[in-house]
């Protein structure tokens, strides 16, 4: 089980200043030394579980604020922004960045927002007020882990298990008895372009016959989430403060989906199964009656304090490389956050072998190594003769954490890895035969007397 050190000095400092306390006074109230508190505030020591409890008890402090408020998304996200060529001459090192985040978290957050609103030098980046981008930032702020939703879903799942061994049947019965909603499966000619519909007049949750069993269970659990987790969901949407209806609704849909997945795969049972099986995704699918994408997404959410799973990321792309889902979770993976992607990553080759799990060890330019898995998925509701869709879902975990994975058997995680980048415009690798463009900020160099492996060479190469 991977434990992540909680570096949140800026939050502790903000709390101290709100209470109008000196470091010495606060340290005395927490029964710690002023020097230790100083190190915590400067992010030179993590916030321990003991200190977290003392903060909560002494100041009526919500511990979730520590997990949800890192300026600019935290050190790794800020490091990626500062890797932009426009800052190359500044040579900002890791220590200087950490000092900045610790000393001026508000300024760091302001820089991050301004940089993101400029599109990070990428003409294809979404504007800052795009509802999808707004929701992605909020999910990233929470690292895609919502403790209250998880706890409520787990309690509900335990209650449903007492009533029946069949989860779909138990959810159907609860909707019928407690909420006067019947589930009705309708033929495709009645619902030709709709997979799920709530008909309040008929008191029915109508599902298409095109949905497979896992998707029917998910759809029923989604409806239950909108009813029974409404308070928790409303609080999270209100707290996001989007001020935009489309963003509110997108976030609400994500949270209801999160709750539905947590009912199907209750936290404690799912984490135990992950650890017992080596995170064997196909086995987890069968054990919990879920789809590949359901399980892949659930893996990014296992961040409960004291019971964390491995820090997975997940991304979903189409054949053109456009992403429609990106969850970094606690991984901090640049592979997810970057707008560009490398064609040498097997995520893009998954389309060549549909439904086959492709495993690959990759290494980024900064030396980060990831064990990744990719597989194609097809959306529910596809019919013969109509336009069909296909996506590749990629998940991964840092190689240093991957030794216990079932798919890692036979891999030398310290051995040769595929060198990849974050798209050609952000990649400075030399002599890559796959290169399609020079890195941003680097001028092309043309030498008529030689032809290198790559036709595109650039200044500084």
């Amino acid at each position: 089980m991977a434990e992540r050190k909680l570096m949140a000095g800026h939050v502790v400092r903000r709390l101290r200043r709100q209470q109008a306390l000196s470091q010495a006074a606060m340290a005395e109230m927490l029964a710690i030394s002023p020097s230790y508190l100083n190190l915590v505030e400067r992010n030179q020591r993590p916030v321990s579980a003991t200190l977290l409890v003392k903060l909560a008890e002494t100041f009526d402090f919500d511990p979730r604020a520590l997990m949800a408020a890192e300026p600019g998304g935290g050190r790794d996200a800020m490091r990626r922004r500062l890797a932009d060529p426009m800052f190359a001459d500044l040579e900002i090192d890791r220590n200087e960045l950490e000092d900045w985040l610790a000393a001026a978290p508000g300024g760091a957050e302001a820089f991050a927002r301004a940089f993101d609103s400029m599109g990070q030098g990428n003409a294809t980046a979404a504007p800052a007020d795009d509802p999808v981008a707004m929701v992605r930032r909020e999910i990233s702020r929470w690292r895609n882990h919502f403790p209250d939703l998880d706890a409520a879903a787990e309690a509900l799942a335990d209650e449903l298990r007492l009533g029946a061994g069949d989860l779909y049947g138990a959810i159907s019965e609860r909707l019928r008895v407690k909420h006067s909603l019947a589930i009705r499966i309708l033929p495709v000619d009645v619902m030709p372009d709709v997979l799920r519909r709530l008909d309040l007049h008929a008191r029915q949750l109508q599902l298409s016959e095109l949905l497979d069993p896992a998707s029917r269970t998910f759809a029923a659990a989604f409806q239950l989430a909108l009813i029974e987790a409404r308070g928790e969901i409303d609080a999270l949407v209100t707290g996001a403060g989007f001020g935009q209806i489309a963003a509110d609704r997108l976030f609400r849909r994500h949270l209801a989906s999160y709750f539905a997945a947590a009912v199907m795969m209750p936290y404690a049972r799912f984490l135990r199964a992950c650890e017992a099986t080596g995170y064997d995704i196909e086995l987890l699918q069968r054990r919990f009656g879920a789809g590949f994408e359901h399980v892949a997404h659930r893996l990014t959410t296992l961040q409960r304090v004291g019971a964390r799973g491995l820090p997975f990321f997940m991304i979903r792309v189409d054949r053109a490389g456009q992403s429609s889902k990106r969850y970094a979770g606690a991984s901090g993976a640049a592979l997810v956050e970057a707008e560009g992607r490398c064609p040498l990553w097997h995520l893009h080759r998954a389309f060549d072998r549909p439904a086959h799990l492709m495993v690959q060890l990759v290494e980024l330019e900064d030396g980060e190594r990831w064990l990744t898995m990719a597989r194609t998925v097809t959306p529910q509701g596809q019919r013969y003769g109509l336009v069909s869709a296909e996506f590749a879902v990629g998940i991964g975990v840092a190689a240093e954490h991957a030794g216990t994975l079932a798919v890692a058997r036979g891999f030398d995680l310290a051995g040769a890895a595929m060198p990849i980048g974050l798209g050609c415009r952000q990649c400075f690798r030399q002599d890559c035969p796959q290169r399609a463009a020079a890195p941003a900020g680097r001028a092309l160099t043309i030498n008529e007397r030689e032809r290198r492996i790559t036709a595109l060479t650039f200044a500084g190469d």
Side-chain angles (χ1 to χ4, degrees), residues 17-50:
R17 290 175 175 172
Q18 289 172 349
Q19 301 292 324
L21 295 170
S22 66
Q23 283 189 339
M26 186 180 208
E28 183 177 357
M29 295 175 70
L30 296 172
I32 60 176
S33 69
S35 60
Y36 176 67
L37 178 59
N38 180 264
L39 291 172
V40 169
E41 289 193 1
R42 291 165 55 198
N43 279 337
Q44 294 185 9
R45 292 290 186 277
V47 178
S48 66
T50 301

PDB file of all heavy atoms in Angstrom, residues 17-50:
ATOM      1  N   ARG A  17      -2.530  32.187  10.802  1.00  0.00           N
ATOM      2  CA  ARG A  17      -2.742  33.624  10.631  1.00  0.00           C
ATOM      3  C   ARG A  17      -4.204  34.005  10.834  1.00  0.00           C
ATOM      4  O   ARG A  17      -4.512  35.081  11.363  1.00  0.00           O
ATOM      5  CB  ARG A  17      -2.254  34.056   9.254  1.00  0.00           C
ATOM      6  CG  ARG A  17      -0.721  34.005   9.129  1.00  0.00           C
ATOM      7  CD  ARG A  17      -0.243  34.325   7.734  1.00  0.00           C
ATOM      8  NE  ARG A  17       1.217  34.392   7.672  1.00  0.00           N
ATOM      9  CZ  ARG A  17       1.910  34.514   6.558  1.00  0.00           C
ATOM     10  NH1 ARG A  17       1.274  34.584   5.381  1.00  0.00           N
ATOM     11  NH2 ARG A  17       3.230  34.568   6.592  1.00  0.00           N
ATOM     12  N   GLN A  18      -5.115  33.130  10.421  1.00  0.00           N
ATOM     13  CA  GLN A  18      -6.539  33.387  10.663  1.00  0.00           C
ATOM     14  C   GLN A  18      -6.846  33.448  12.155  1.00  0.00           C
ATOM     15  O   GLN A  18      -7.737  34.188  12.587  1.00  0.00           O
ATOM     16  CB  GLN A  18      -7.386  32.301   9.991  1.00  0.00           C
ATOM     17  CG  GLN A  18      -7.428  32.378   8.473  1.00  0.00           C
ATOM     18  CD  GLN A  18      -8.123  31.184   7.846  1.00  0.00           C
ATOM     19  OE1 GLN A  18      -8.404  30.180   8.508  1.00  0.00           O
ATOM     20  NE2 GLN A  18      -8.393  31.280   6.546  1.00  0.00           N
ATOM     21  N   GLN A  19      -6.092  32.667  12.927  1.00  0.00           N
ATOM     22  CA  GLN A  19      -6.289  32.654  14.384  1.00  0.00           C
ATOM     23  C   GLN A  19      -5.465  33.744  15.078  1.00  0.00           C
ATOM     24  O   GLN A  19      -5.512  33.857  16.307  1.00  0.00           O
ATOM     25  CB  GLN A  19      -5.877  31.287  14.938  1.00  0.00           C
ATOM     26  CG  GLN A  19      -6.648  30.109  14.368  1.00  0.00           C
ATOM     27  CD  GLN A  19      -8.101  30.106  14.785  1.00  0.00           C
ATOM     28  OE1 GLN A  19      -8.427  30.482  15.906  1.00  0.00           O
ATOM     29  NE2 GLN A  19      -8.973  29.677  13.879  1.00  0.00           N
ATOM     30  N   ALA A  20      -4.719  34.519  14.300  1.00  0.00           N
ATOM     31  CA  ALA A  20      -3.888  35.600  14.835  1.00  0.00           C
ATOM     32  C   ALA A  20      -2.900  35.081  15.873  1.00  0.00           C
ATOM     33  O   ALA A  20      -2.722  35.662  16.951  1.00  0.00           O
ATOM     34  CB  ALA A  20      -4.760  36.716  15.418  1.00  0.00           C
ATOM     35  N   LEU A  21      -2.246  33.973  15.551  1.00  0.00           N
ATOM     36  CA  LEU A  21      -1.303  33.340  16.467  1.00  0.00           C
ATOM     37  C   LEU A  21       0.122  33.423  15.924  1.00  0.00           C
ATOM     38  O   LEU A  21       0.334  33.365  14.708  1.00  0.00           O
ATOM     39  CB  LEU A  21      -1.667  31.858  16.675  1.00  0.00           C
ATOM     40  CG  LEU A  21      -2.996  31.554  17.363  1.00  0.00           C
ATOM     41  CD1 LEU A  21      -3.293  30.057  17.266  1.00  0.00           C
ATOM     42  CD2 LEU A  21      -2.965  32.002  18.814  1.00  0.00           C
ATOM     43  N   SER A  22       1.069  33.541  16.821  1.00  0.00           N
ATOM     44  CA  SER A  22       2.465  33.396  16.441  1.00  0.00           C
ATOM     45  C   SER A  22       2.780  31.915  16.331  1.00  0.00           C
ATOM     46  O   SER A  22       2.014  31.056  16.794  1.00  0.00           O
ATOM     47  CB  SER A  22       3.368  34.040  17.493  1.00  0.00           C
ATOM     48  OG  SER A  22       3.270  33.309  18.723  1.00  0.00           O
ATOM     49  N   GLN A  23       3.930  31.596  15.711  1.00  0.00           N
ATOM     50  CA  GLN A  23       4.318  30.193  15.627  1.00  0.00           C
ATOM     51  C   GLN A  23       4.496  29.594  17.017  1.00  0.00           C
ATOM     52  O   GLN A  23       4.111  28.444  17.269  1.00  0.00           O
ATOM     53  CB  GLN A  23       5.599  30.038  14.808  1.00  0.00           C
ATOM     54  CG  GLN A  23       5.392  30.152  13.315  1.00  0.00           C
ATOM     55  CD  GLN A  23       6.633  29.791  12.523  1.00  0.00           C
ATOM     56  OE1 GLN A  23       7.748  29.824  13.044  1.00  0.00           O
ATOM     57  NE2 GLN A  23       6.445  29.460  11.254  1.00  0.00           N
ATOM     58  N   ALA A  24       5.070  30.362  17.928  1.00  0.00           N
ATOM     59  CA  ALA A  24       5.291  29.852  19.286  1.00  0.00           C
ATOM     60  C   ALA A  24       3.970  29.560  19.987  1.00  0.00           C
ATOM     61  O   ALA A  24       3.823  28.518  20.654  1.00  0.00           O
ATOM     62  CB  ALA A  24       6.109  30.859  20.092  1.00  0.00           C
ATOM     63  N   ALA A  25       2.977  30.457  19.813  1.00  0.00           N
ATOM     64  CA  ALA A  25       1.690  30.260  20.477  1.00  0.00           C
ATOM     65  C   ALA A  25       0.948  29.048  19.913  1.00  0.00           C
ATOM     66  O   ALA A  25       0.378  28.244  20.656  1.00  0.00           O
ATOM     67  CB  ALA A  25       0.846  31.525  20.338  1.00  0.00           C
ATOM     68  N   MET A  26       0.966  28.923  18.594  1.00  0.00           N
ATOM     69  CA  MET A  26       0.279  27.784  17.985  1.00  0.00           C
ATOM     70  C   MET A  26       0.981  26.480  18.347  1.00  0.00           C
ATOM     71  O   MET A  26       0.318  25.462  18.622  1.00  0.00           O
ATOM     72  CB  MET A  26       0.223  27.949  16.459  1.00  0.00           C
ATOM     73  CG  MET A  26      -0.609  26.884  15.772  1.00  0.00           C
ATOM     74  SD  MET A  26      -0.668  27.114  13.968  1.00  0.00           S
ATOM     75  CE  MET A  26      -2.245  26.367  13.579  1.00  0.00           C
ATOM     76  N   ALA A  27       2.297  26.496  18.343  1.00  0.00           N
ATOM     77  CA  ALA A  27       3.042  25.288  18.694  1.00  0.00           C
ATOM     78  C   ALA A  27       2.707  24.838  20.106  1.00  0.00           C
ATOM     79  O   ALA A  27       2.556  23.638  20.379  1.00  0.00           O
ATOM     80  CB  ALA A  27       4.539  25.543  18.560  1.00  0.00           C
ATOM     81  N   GLU A  28       2.577  25.804  21.018  1.00  0.00           N
ATOM     82  CA  GLU A  28       2.231  25.459  22.403  1.00  0.00           C
ATOM     83  C   GLU A  28       0.850  24.822  22.482  1.00  0.00           C
ATOM     84  O   GLU A  28       0.638  23.843  23.205  1.00  0.00           O
ATOM     85  CB  GLU A  28       2.289  26.712  23.280  1.00  0.00           C
ATOM     86  CG  GLU A  28       2.008  26.436  24.752  1.00  0.00           C
ATOM     87  CD  GLU A  28       2.140  27.682  25.603  1.00  0.00           C
ATOM     88  OE1 GLU A  28       2.508  28.749  25.061  1.00  0.00           O
ATOM     89  OE2 GLU A  28       1.869  27.597  26.816  1.00  0.00           O
ATOM     90  N   MET A  29      -0.113  25.359  21.717  1.00  0.00           N
ATOM     91  CA  MET A  29      -1.473  24.810  21.716  1.00  0.00           C
ATOM     92  C   MET A  29      -1.511  23.401  21.140  1.00  0.00           C
ATOM     93  O   MET A  29      -2.340  22.573  21.532  1.00  0.00           O
ATOM     94  CB  MET A  29      -2.402  25.725  20.915  1.00  0.00           C
ATOM     95  CG  MET A  29      -2.584  27.104  21.526  1.00  0.00           C
ATOM     96  SD  MET A  29      -3.558  28.202  20.475  1.00  0.00           S
ATOM     97  CE  MET A  29      -5.186  27.446  20.630  1.00  0.00           C
ATOM     98  N   LEU A  30      -0.584  23.116  20.209  1.00  0.00           N
ATOM     99  CA  LEU A  30      -0.552  21.798  19.565  1.00  0.00           C
ATOM    100  C   LEU A  30       0.408  20.832  20.253  1.00  0.00           C
ATOM    101  O   LEU A  30       0.540  19.681  19.816  1.00  0.00           O
ATOM    102  CB  LEU A  30      -0.149  21.950  18.093  1.00  0.00           C
ATOM    103  CG  LEU A  30      -1.117  22.737  17.199  1.00  0.00           C
ATOM    104  CD1 LEU A  30      -0.495  22.974  15.828  1.00  0.00           C
ATOM    105  CD2 LEU A  30      -2.448  21.997  17.054  1.00  0.00           C
ATOM    106  N   ALA A  31       1.089  21.314  21.306  1.00  0.00           N
ATOM    107  CA  ALA A  31       2.040  20.498  22.061  1.00  0.00           C
ATOM    108  C   ALA A  31       3.188  20.002  21.174  1.00  0.00           C
ATOM    109  O   ALA A  31       3.604  18.847  21.237  1.00  0.00           O
ATOM    110  CB  ALA A  31       1.339  19.319  22.735  1.00  0.00           C
ATOM    111  N   ILE A  32       3.666  20.894  20.301  1.00  0.00           N
ATOM    112  CA  ILE A  32       4.831  20.597  19.469  1.00  0.00           C
ATOM    113  C   ILE A  32       5.812  21.752  19.617  1.00  0.00           C
ATOM    114  O   ILE A  32       5.481  22.811  20.167  1.00  0.00           O
ATOM    115  CB  ILE A  32       4.460  20.417  17.983  1.00  0.00           C
ATOM    116  CG1 ILE A  32       3.815  21.694  17.420  1.00  0.00           C
ATOM    117  CG2 ILE A  32       3.526  19.221  17.795  1.00  0.00           C
ATOM    118  CD1 ILE A  32       3.512  21.630  15.936  1.00  0.00           C
ATOM    119  N   SER A  33       7.021  21.577  19.116  1.00  0.00           N
ATOM    120  CA  SER A  33       8.018  22.641  19.233  1.00  0.00           C
ATOM    121  C   SER A  33       7.819  23.675  18.130  1.00  0.00           C
ATOM    122  O   SER A  33       7.365  23.340  17.027  1.00  0.00           O
ATOM    123  CB  SER A  33       9.425  22.049  19.130  1.00  0.00           C
ATOM    124  OG  SER A  33       9.661  21.578  17.815  1.00  0.00           O
ATOM    125  N   PRO A  34       8.140  24.947  18.407  1.00  0.00           N
ATOM    126  CA  PRO A  34       8.042  25.976  17.365  1.00  0.00           C
ATOM    127  C   PRO A  34       8.902  25.660  16.141  1.00  0.00           C
ATOM    128  O   PRO A  34       8.506  25.970  15.013  1.00  0.00           O
ATOM    129  CB  PRO A  34       8.527  27.241  18.079  1.00  0.00           C
ATOM    130  CG  PRO A  34       8.258  26.987  19.527  1.00  0.00           C
ATOM    131  CD  PRO A  34       8.517  25.520  19.713  1.00  0.00           C
ATOM    132  N   SER A  35      10.062  25.044  16.368  1.00  0.00           N
ATOM    133  CA  SER A  35      10.933  24.727  15.230  1.00  0.00           C
ATOM    134  C   SER A  35      10.291  23.684  14.323  1.00  0.00           C
ATOM    135  O   SER A  35      10.401  23.759  13.089  1.00  0.00           O
ATOM    136  CB  SER A  35      12.288  24.220  15.727  1.00  0.00           C
ATOM    137  OG  SER A  35      12.130  23.051  16.521  1.00  0.00           O
ATOM    138  N   TYR A  36       9.594  22.712  14.909  1.00  0.00           N
ATOM    139  CA  TYR A  36       8.906  21.700  14.105  1.00  0.00           C
ATOM    140  C   TYR A  36       7.764  22.332  13.306  1.00  0.00           C
ATOM    141  O   TYR A  36       7.589  22.042  12.113  1.00  0.00           O
ATOM    142  CB  TYR A  36       8.367  20.588  15.004  1.00  0.00           C
ATOM    143  CG  TYR A  36       7.559  19.544  14.280  1.00  0.00           C
ATOM    144  CD1 TYR A  36       8.150  18.687  13.359  1.00  0.00           C
ATOM    145  CD2 TYR A  36       6.192  19.428  14.480  1.00  0.00           C
ATOM    146  CE1 TYR A  36       7.409  17.737  12.677  1.00  0.00           C
ATOM    147  CE2 TYR A  36       5.439  18.482  13.808  1.00  0.00           C
ATOM    148  CZ  TYR A  36       6.054  17.641  12.910  1.00  0.00           C
ATOM    149  OH  TYR A  36       5.311  16.704  12.234  1.00  0.00           O
ATOM    150  N   LEU A  37       7.008  23.217  13.953  1.00  0.00           N
ATOM    151  CA  LEU A  37       5.924  23.899  13.246  1.00  0.00           C
ATOM    152  C   LEU A  37       6.480  24.725  12.095  1.00  0.00           C
ATOM    153  O   LEU A  37       5.898  24.775  11.005  1.00  0.00           O
ATOM    154  CB  LEU A  37       5.139  24.785  14.213  1.00  0.00           C
ATOM    155  CG  LEU A  37       4.002  25.603  13.596  1.00  0.00           C
ATOM    156  CD1 LEU A  37       2.972  24.698  12.923  1.00  0.00           C
ATOM    157  CD2 LEU A  37       3.332  26.481  14.653  1.00  0.00           C
ATOM    158  N   ASN A  38       7.620  25.361  12.331  1.00  0.00           N
ATOM    159  CA  ASN A  38       8.249  26.151  11.277  1.00  0.00           C
ATOM    160  C   ASN A  38       8.613  25.280  10.077  1.00  0.00           C
ATOM    161  O   ASN A  38       8.402  25.666   8.919  1.00  0.00           O
ATOM    162  CB  ASN A  38       9.498  26.845  11.833  1.00  0.00           C
ATOM    163  CG  ASN A  38      10.206  27.684  10.781  1.00  0.00           C
ATOM    164  OD1 ASN A  38      11.156  27.236  10.152  1.00  0.00           O
ATOM    165  ND2 ASN A  38       9.740  28.905  10.594  1.00  0.00           N
ATOM    166  N   LEU A  39       9.134  24.083  10.339  1.00  0.00           N
ATOM    167  CA  LEU A  39       9.491  23.160   9.264  1.00  0.00           C
ATOM    168  C   LEU A  39       8.241  22.692   8.514  1.00  0.00           C
ATOM    169  O   LEU A  39       8.263  22.548   7.284  1.00  0.00           O
ATOM    170  CB  LEU A  39      10.244  21.960   9.828  1.00  0.00           C
ATOM    171  CG  LEU A  39      11.652  22.243  10.371  1.00  0.00           C
ATOM    172  CD1 LEU A  39      12.211  21.022  11.072  1.00  0.00           C
ATOM    173  CD2 LEU A  39      12.582  22.679   9.242  1.00  0.00           C
ATOM    174  N   VAL A  40       7.149  22.456   9.233  1.00  0.00           N
ATOM    175  CA  VAL A  40       5.889  22.049   8.595  1.00  0.00           C
ATOM    176  C   VAL A  40       5.396  23.152   7.672  1.00  0.00           C
ATOM    177  O   VAL A  40       5.005  22.913   6.526  1.00  0.00           O
ATOM    178  CB  VAL A  40       4.824  21.701   9.655  1.00  0.00           C
ATOM    179  CG1 VAL A  40       3.449  21.540   9.002  1.00  0.00           C
ATOM    180  CG2 VAL A  40       5.194  20.418  10.393  1.00  0.00           C
ATOM    181  N   GLU A  41       5.407  24.396   8.165  1.00  0.00           N
ATOM    182  CA  GLU A  41       4.904  25.515   7.366  1.00  0.00           C
ATOM    183  C   GLU A  41       5.762  25.748   6.124  1.00  0.00           C
ATOM    184  O   GLU A  41       5.268  26.238   5.105  1.00  0.00           O
ATOM    185  CB  GLU A  41       4.856  26.786   8.213  1.00  0.00           C
ATOM    186  CG  GLU A  41       3.759  26.763   9.273  1.00  0.00           C
ATOM    187  CD  GLU A  41       3.525  28.140   9.878  1.00  0.00           C
ATOM    188  OE1 GLU A  41       4.207  29.106   9.444  1.00  0.00           O
ATOM    189  OE2 GLU A  41       2.661  28.259  10.756  1.00  0.00           O
ATOM    190  N   ARG A  42       7.020  25.399   6.205  1.00  0.00           N
ATOM    191  CA  ARG A  42       7.922  25.571   5.045  1.00  0.00           C
ATOM    192  C   ARG A  42       7.976  24.323   4.173  1.00  0.00           C
ATOM    193  O   ARG A  42       8.807  24.212   3.281  1.00  0.00           O
ATOM    194  CB  ARG A  42       9.323  25.928   5.552  1.00  0.00           C
ATOM    195  CG  ARG A  42       9.394  27.319   6.172  1.00  0.00           C
ATOM    196  CD  ARG A  42      10.657  27.517   6.983  1.00  0.00           C
ATOM    197  NE  ARG A  42      11.842  27.247   6.188  1.00  0.00           N
ATOM    198  CZ  ARG A  42      13.045  27.009   6.712  1.00  0.00           C
ATOM    199  NH1 ARG A  42      13.206  26.995   8.018  1.00  0.00           N
ATOM    200  NH2 ARG A  42      14.077  26.777   5.929  1.00  0.00           N
ATOM    201  N   ASN A  43       7.080  23.372   4.432  1.00  0.00           N
ATOM    202  CA  ASN A  43       6.997  22.117   3.652  1.00  0.00           C
ATOM    203  C   ASN A  43       8.286  21.307   3.726  1.00  0.00           C
ATOM    204  O   ASN A  43       8.614  20.551   2.801  1.00  0.00           O
ATOM    205  CB  ASN A  43       6.649  22.395   2.182  1.00  0.00           C
ATOM    206  CG  ASN A  43       5.161  22.617   1.998  1.00  0.00           C
ATOM    207  OD1 ASN A  43       4.353  22.176   2.818  1.00  0.00           O
ATOM    208  ND2 ASN A  43       4.798  23.303   0.938  1.00  0.00           N
ATOM    209  N   GLN A  44       9.006  21.448   4.825  1.00  0.00           N
ATOM    210  CA  GLN A  44      10.190  20.626   5.033  1.00  0.00           C
ATOM    211  C   GLN A  44       9.885  19.424   5.921  1.00  0.00           C
ATOM    212  O   GLN A  44      10.768  18.589   6.153  1.00  0.00           O
ATOM    213  CB  GLN A  44      11.323  21.472   5.634  1.00  0.00           C
ATOM    214  CG  GLN A  44      11.825  22.538   4.666  1.00  0.00           C
ATOM    215  CD  GLN A  44      13.017  23.308   5.203  1.00  0.00           C
ATOM    216  OE1 GLN A  44      13.586  22.952   6.235  1.00  0.00           O
ATOM    217  NE2 GLN A  44      13.401  24.379   4.516  1.00  0.00           N
ATOM    218  N   ARG A  45       8.664  19.364   6.434  1.00  0.00           N
ATOM    219  CA  ARG A  45       8.164  18.201   7.150  1.00  0.00           C
ATOM    220  C   ARG A  45       6.706  17.985   6.737  1.00  0.00           C
ATOM    221  O   ARG A  45       5.966  18.961   6.554  1.00  0.00           O
ATOM    222  CB  ARG A  45       8.230  18.384   8.669  1.00  0.00           C
ATOM    223  CG  ARG A  45       9.623  18.441   9.251  1.00  0.00           C
ATOM    224  CD  ARG A  45      10.325  17.093   9.184  1.00  0.00           C
ATOM    225  NE  ARG A  45      11.615  17.131   9.879  1.00  0.00           N
ATOM    226  CZ  ARG A  45      12.750  17.571   9.339  1.00  0.00           C
ATOM    227  NH1 ARG A  45      12.746  18.042   8.091  1.00  0.00           N
ATOM    228  NH2 ARG A  45      13.875  17.563  10.030  1.00  0.00           N
ATOM    229  N   PRO A  46       6.284  16.734   6.582  1.00  0.00           N
ATOM    230  CA  PRO A  46       4.883  16.482   6.238  1.00  0.00           C
ATOM    231  C   PRO A  46       3.965  16.699   7.438  1.00  0.00           C
ATOM    232  O   PRO A  46       4.414  16.717   8.594  1.00  0.00           O
ATOM    233  CB  PRO A  46       4.897  15.001   5.823  1.00  0.00           C
ATOM    234  CG  PRO A  46       6.031  14.407   6.611  1.00  0.00           C
ATOM    235  CD  PRO A  46       7.074  15.477   6.697  1.00  0.00           C
ATOM    236  N   VAL A  47       2.690  16.868   7.161  1.00  0.00           N
ATOM    237  CA  VAL A  47       1.686  16.942   8.222  1.00  0.00           C
ATOM    238  C   VAL A  47       1.379  15.506   8.635  1.00  0.00           C
ATOM    239  O   VAL A  47       0.771  14.746   7.879  1.00  0.00           O
ATOM    240  CB  VAL A  47       0.412  17.654   7.739  1.00  0.00           C
ATOM    241  CG1 VAL A  47      -0.641  17.669   8.847  1.00  0.00           C
ATOM    242  CG2 VAL A  47       0.735  19.085   7.308  1.00  0.00           C
ATOM    243  N   SER A  48       1.796  15.134   9.827  1.00  0.00           N
ATOM    244  CA  SER A  48       1.605  13.763  10.302  1.00  0.00           C
ATOM    245  C   SER A  48       0.154  13.538  10.714  1.00  0.00           C
ATOM    246  O   SER A  48      -0.613  14.487  10.917  1.00  0.00           O
ATOM    247  CB  SER A  48       2.525  13.483  11.489  1.00  0.00           C
ATOM    248  OG  SER A  48       2.136  14.284  12.598  1.00  0.00           O
ATOM    249  N   ALA A  49      -0.209  12.267  10.856  1.00  0.00           N
ATOM    250  CA  ALA A  49      -1.571  11.931  11.289  1.00  0.00           C
ATOM    251  C   ALA A  49      -1.843  12.503  12.673  1.00  0.00           C
ATOM    252  O   ALA A  49      -2.945  12.996  12.955  1.00  0.00           O
ATOM    253  CB  ALA A  49      -1.757  10.417  11.278  1.00  0.00           C
ATOM    254  N   THR A  50      -0.827  12.459  13.563  1.00  0.00           N
ATOM    255  CA  THR A  50      -0.998  12.990  14.918  1.00  0.00           C
ATOM    256  C   THR A  50      -1.256  14.488  14.883  1.00  0.00           C
ATOM    257  O   THR A  50      -2.161  14.998  15.565  1.00  0.00           O
ATOM    258  CB  THR A  50       0.264  12.703  15.751  1.00  0.00           C
ATOM    259  OG1 THR A  50       0.499  11.294  15.796  1.00  0.00           O
ATOM    260  CG2 THR A  50       0.100  13.234  17.167  1.00  0.00           C
TER     261      THR A  50
END
